Amino acid sequence: MSVAPRHDWQNHEIESLFQLPFNDLLFRAQGIHRQHFDPNAVQVSTLLSIKTGACPEDCKYCSQSGHYNTGLEKEKLLALETVLSEAENAKTNGATRFCMGAAWKHPSAKDFPLVLAMVRGVRELGLETCMTLGQLSAEQTDALREAGLDYYNHNLDTSREYYDKIITTRHFDERLDTLAHVRAAGIKVCSGGIVGMGEQARDRVGLLRELANLPQHPESVPINNLVKIKGTPLENVDDLDPFDFIRMIAVARILMPQSHVRLSAGREQMNDQMQALCFFAGANSIFYGDRLLTTANPLASSDMQLFARLGIHPEPAKHGSVNSGQLEPPQHAQFHDAMTSAGH
Ligand code: SAM
Ligand code: DTB
Ligand code: SF4
């Protein structure tokens, strides 16, 4: 029996989930997953950095912060044609959502019209649209919604208590304000965080509690494993135990049963077995394509093979945009070929 999602999780309840024996936790997460989703479908999004580097924020994990010398090549806001041609490629390769990220504190009035044009153009291609541009005002969220934005990504990143150790130039409550504007505008919320930043187990509990106790659960919850970037203050932080990463996915699945939980950054550093366990724990979304924003992601061909070996198929797009719900050739042709050659 499926129970209505809760928004009143207490720390001690979440801690007890994390403390369950691994098999008990995964069994429970998988049971909940099956009540709400096709257990063999995974949503696939492709990411593009539309404006790279020289960010005024001081996020200690990030290659794009202007506060650290990471050797990253900076780029201006991309031209509309470049973004649309990348989106076309993503669609041809089988992605159903196109996520565009900019290294900004917030979008400027000068750049905003081009951003809106990107949303309109990507949507016209029949892809779901997602943007992550930093802090937004209520007026900006309304304009994005009008342009056809489906999702806005803005992560809480970590617990309220650990947050100041990671970012000092933007406050936790400001993040919640942006999420509230996004929700009020009728845009779907994509919000999660990063683990493996030297946080304590209680911070992973705190992050999930904040997300699960939002008035409405984010439709998409990216769980990123820190990609260590040379030159940032976190470049030498200890690795998180891989089982604790899988536990994080499983507990997110239990707390937010109807949300897509994304196995997000860090897959390039994971083996296939680890990713398979993350899918079993309830992850049902990935970034697909050989680049995240500035770092490597597994090759699309490797992901197709992994899906085929696991009998996983990409989830069809569900959105109010042009092609609503229909995946037509050539979308997914590659996945289909990989599945066939793996004997499915
Ligand atoms: N600048 C915008 C912002 O921060 O809201 C959007 C882009 S930002 C890169 C999006 C998210 O990516 C961050 O909030 C963080 O959770 C994640 N991220 C960034 N760098 C990462 C890294 N090195 N490893 C794992 N996740 C990372
Ligand atoms: C999210 O939660 N993870 C993505 C996306 N939202 C924008 C970004 C991951 C970035 C990983 C490091 C990089 O490539 O720079
Ligand atoms: Fe800037 Fe976003 Fe990186 Fe923070 S995570 S430094 S806001 S690009």
Side-chain angles (χ1 to χ4, degrees):
M1 192 188 63
S2 149
V3 182
R6 285 177 52 191
H7 300 267
D8 59 352
W9 288 94
Q10 306 287 311
N11 275 348
H12 69 90
E13 296 176 286
I14 304 176
E15 277 157 14
S16 332
L17 289 171
F18 272 105
Q19 283 158 11
L20 283 172
F22 189 73
N23 284 341
D24 291 350
L25 175 61
L26 261 62
F27 182 75
R28 186 150 161 199
Q30 175 66 199
I32 289 178
H33 189 52
R34 281 169 186 263
Q35 291 171 8
H36 299 281
F37 292 101
D38 172 348
N40 302 309
V42 170
Q43 191 280 327
V44 288
S45 296
T46 292
L47 252 183
L48 176 69
S49 180
I50 59 170
K51 189 267 161 188
T52 306
C55 184
E57 306 281 11
D58 69 351
C59 311
K60 292 196 174 37
Y61 49 77
C62 188
S63 62
Q64 306 201 66
S65 168
H67 295 253
Y68 318 118
N69 184 4
T70 63
L72 184 75
E73 200 138 319
K74 305 171 190 110
E75 281 174 25
K76 292 209 184 91
L77 183 59
L78 296 181
L80 179 61
E81 308 77 69
T82 313
V83 172
L84 295 185
S85 119
E86 293 285 340
E88 255 320 339
N89 286 343
K91 181 177 170 174
T92 306
N93 288 331
T96 56
R97 190 176 308 158
F98 194 63
C99 305
M100 296 159 269
W104 286 328
K105 184 176 184 69
H106 49 68
S108 70
K110 173 171 97 29
D111 291 326
F112 204 57
L114 180 48
V115 164
L116 296 177
M118 290 175 186
V119 174
R120 282 188 217 102
V122 172
R123 206 167 198 256
E124 272 165 24
L125 294 173
L127 285 159
E128 292 180 320
T129 52
C130 177
M131 287 230 156
T132 176
L133 313 168
Q135 209 166 341
L136 293 182
S137 67
E139 295 71 36
Q140 286 174 322
T141 47
D142 288 343
L144 284 165
R145 176 63 247 174
E146 240 164 73
L149 187 68
D150 295 299
Y151 289 82
Y152 194 75
N153 167 240
H154 197 61
N155 291 339
L156 296 184
D157 277 352
T158 188
S159 69
R160 185 182 279 280
E161 293 72 26
Y162 196 58
Y163 186 90
D164 293 351
K165 302 266 181 326
I166 300 296
I167 302 147
T168 66
T169 52
R170 178 173 24 228
H171 301 292
F172 195 83
D173 285 323
E174 291 175 320
R175 294 201 179 242
L176 293 172
D177 291 343
T178 293
L179 292 182
H181 294 320
V182 171
R183 190 51 93 195
I187 299 168
K188 295 192 190 89
V189 172
C190 173
S191 187
I194 316 180
V195 297
M197 298 196 294
E199 76 283 348
Q200 302 292 307
R202 63 171 176 272
D203 298 306
R204 295 189 283 277
V205 169
L207 168 63
L208 291 182
R209 193 199 63 242
E210 293 278 354
L211 292 166
N213 289 348
L214 287 170
Q216 200 176 330
H217 292 164
E219 282 78 4
S220 168
V221 180
I223 305 294
N224 296 279
N225 202 15
L226 177 69
V227 179
K228 292 183 207 173
I229 309 282
K230 206 158 176 298
T232 62
L234 296 183
E235 70 170 304
N236 293 317
V237 75
D238 286 341
D239 283 339
L240 183 68
D241 180 336
F243 294 122
D244 285 336
F245 184 85
I246 300 165
R247 285 188 177 94
M248 184 77 185
I249 298 269
V251 176
R253 164 54 58 230
I254 294 168
L255 302 190
M256 293 169 277
Q258 299 177 349
S259 305
H260 278 78
V261 175
R262 180 174 298 142
L263 170 54
S264 192
R267 286 199 304 119
E268 176 70 356
Q269 291 73 25
M270 294 175 194
N271 65 22
D272 289 350
Q273 299 87 316
M274 167 86 180
Q275 294 186 58
L277 274 175
C278 289
F279 294 134
F280 187 73
N284 60 346
S285 172
I286 58 165
F287 282 121
Y288 168 72
D290 53 6
R291 270 200 104 55
L292 290 165
L293 289 172
T294 67
T295 65
N297 198 42
L299 296 176
S301 54
S302 317
D303 280 340
M304 280 177 215
Q305 279 169 19
L306 178 62
F307 274 24
R309 287 166 69 207
L310 298 176
I312 286 176
H313 55 268
E315 184 184 275
K318 297 185 207 77
H319 56 105
S321 84
V322 194
N323 273 2
S324 63
Q326 285 312 308
L327 284 176
E328 290 154 12
Q331 248 179 331
H332 292 186
Q334 286 89 339
F335 281 110
H336 180 264
D337 293 347
M339 298 281 274
T340 313
S341 64
H344 291 281

